[in-house]
Amino acid sequence: MVIVMSEHASEDQIEKVIAALTQKGYDAHRSTGATRTVIGVVGASRTHLDPREFEILPGVHEVVKITEPYKLAGRVFKPEDTVIRMGDLAIGGRDIVMMAGPCAVESEKQLDIIAASVSRYGARILRGGAFKPRTSPYAFQGLGEEGLRHLRKVADRYGLLVITEVMDTSQVDLVAEYADILQVGARNMQNFTLLKELGKQRKSVMLKRGMSATIQEWLLSAEYIMAGGNRSVIFCERGIRTFENYTRNTMDISAIPIIKKLSHLPIVADPSHGTGLRDKVIPMARAAVAAGADGIMVEVHHEPEAALSDGPQSIYPEQFAELMAQLRIIAPAIGRTI
Ligand code: PEP
Ligand code: MN
């Protein structure tokens, strides 16, 4: 249930509504928009809520029953877009944000070469895994904390922000010490213990779509983080598993306008994991921006043949430059900047 206050509702009237909800055992999530305050009712209580009891309270404009189970992530509760601000960077606003870097941090030198070029071409966020979720236990597992140190140092050198994956609850505090955005990988989208832990964090979280997750399941995973108190969640479409095996995954471009309609949160697209093929990354990045993505995450490597992970889907720095030039033409056509 959502209680929409009238435009001129007083602070006292708003507080009385919240108090009435709390008294019945519900959590009230207050959202103050440009013109009015909306109070979202979340949580479970044994006391039945009768909308009419709230409709008659002073200052209440209307009471809307929400049928979607994702109240905090959904647009009904918060109709206006969420813009996540970090310094002078905004994700979910007019500007399309580029996140680029290697699949895995391999050394400070490797990261420096890649960061130097992607920042020159217009990336604002440096990506790179220090903890890698690999299908085989014998594959490179990442440099761990050493990788996090390289990320922070190199990103600061080029004025970039850091996004990196956190795989487990035991790593949350450590990763949060170094990163600006905590990435939840596809394999962990429904690791509810991890999501709850991230709900207690104040750092933004980028939630990748599980490879066999429906959009509703994905929204509910975001709800887990938000219900814990962290409202800075970014979705990332990274391809799903279908019967098609020509590509590593099937990039679900339609998920972008669907999420935009159902949720106020920003959505980024990752065409590197979405296709697994270097020559398909740029076309899918273009399509994602045209479909309304708020940002693009791509894997870039100066020597993909020698990369310790995901070389075949990593684009060369010059290709990143080419992609940026193309996106600068596409973005204005849909009222965006880059
Ligand atoms: C990654 O971005 O490094 C990664 C492992 O992606 P995903 O979780 O989408 O497979
Ligand atoms: Mn990768």
Side-chain angles (χ1 to χ4, degrees), residues 5-288:
M5 301 300 293
S6 59
E7 276 186 42
H8 306 292
S10 68
E11 188 54 37
D12 187 50
Q13 290 170 334
I14 296 169
E15 274 166 22
K16 286 218 166 82
V17 172
I18 294 174
L21 287 166
T22 319
Q23 203 227 330
K24 285 185 181 294
Y26 289 87
D27 280 338
H29 285 261
R30 181 179 172 162
S31 160
T32 311
T35 53
R36 55 175 94 227
T37 292
V38 172
I39 301 163
V41 187
V42 294
S45 166
R46 268 183 235 170
T47 324
H48 172 70
L49 274 191
D50 185 344
R52 285 170 304 180
E53 272 182 55
F54 290 86
E55 271 158 5
I56 55 164
L57 292 181
V60 171
H61 173 68
E62 69 175 326
V63 178
V64 187
K65 280 199 116 174
I66 302 186
T67 43
E68 292 92 356
Y70 41 86
K71 293 180 171 62
L72 300 174
R75 267 216 197 263
V76 184
F77 170 49
K78 184 175 181 289
E80 70 281 2
D81 287 345
T82 287
V83 180
I84 296 177
R85 293 178 199 282
M86 282 170 285
D88 68 340
L89 189 72
I91 305 180
R94 225 168 106 80
D95 234 17
I96 292 161
V97 176
M98 299 299 284
M99 310 178 175
C103 176
V105 179
E106 298 168 12
S107 67
E108 189 186 332
K109 184 156 182 274
Q110 168 241 22
L111 200 58
D112 185 274
I113 295 170
I114 298 168
S117 53
V118 297
S119 71
R120 176 152 31 94
Y121 299 135
R124 299 294 311 275
I125 302 174
L126 181 63
R127 66 143 288 145
F131 295 102
K132 294 302 303 172
R134 304 305 298 279
T135 303
S136 163
Y138 307 117
F140 177 58
Q141 303 286 306
L143 294 181
E145 188 169 1
E146 186 192 342
L148 296 175
R149 275 197 295 270
H150 295 331
L151 274 166
R152 188 72 265 164
K153 196 167 161 198
V154 172
D156 288 347
R157 195 174 292 153
Y158 296 100
L160 299 166
L161 295 181
V162 169
I163 182 167
T164 194
E165 178 162 353
V166 53
M167 282 173 56
D168 185 88
T169 49
S170 65
Q171 298 166 350
V172 173
D173 288 339
L174 178 70
V175 176
E177 238 179 79
Y178 293 92
D180 301 292
I181 307 175
L182 309 174
Q183 176 173 320
V184 177
R187 290 153 194 82
N188 265 324
M189 191 204 83
Q190 286 192 314
N191 180 340
F192 300 118
T193 322
L194 177 61
L195 300 179
K196 281 185 193 167
E197 199 56 38
L198 292 170
K200 298 181 203 152
Q201 271 291 322
R202 284 299 156 267
K203 289 267 164 94
S204 301
V205 175
M206 189 175 85
L207 180 65
K208 287 196 147 197
R209 182 177 182 182
M211 51 190 101
S212 57
T214 64
I215 286 174
Q216 170 130 334
E217 287 164 344
W218 194 13
L219 286 158
L220 281 167
S221 288
E223 190 78 11
Y224 260 94
I225 302 169
M226 298 179 86
N230 188 349
R231 305 298 172 87
S232 295
V233 181
I234 304 158
F235 288 105
C236 177
E237 166 60 44
R238 49 78 74 204
I240 49 173
R241 245 187 210 171
T242 67
F243 57 84
E244 182 53 71
N245 58 10
Y246 184 89
T247 46
R248 179 177 176 185
N249 290 295
T250 298
M251 185 77 189
D252 183 8
I253 298 283
S254 68
I256 298 164
I258 294 170
I259 287 287
K260 281 272 152 211
K261 179 162 183 223
L262 299 178
S263 175
H264 51 87
L265 296 169
I267 178 164
V268 164
D270 169 359
S272 306
H273 294 88
T275 64
L277 301 168
R278 181 177 305 126
D279 66 336
K280 303 296 177 285
V281 171
I282 291 182
M284 285 297 104
R286 293 193 302 243

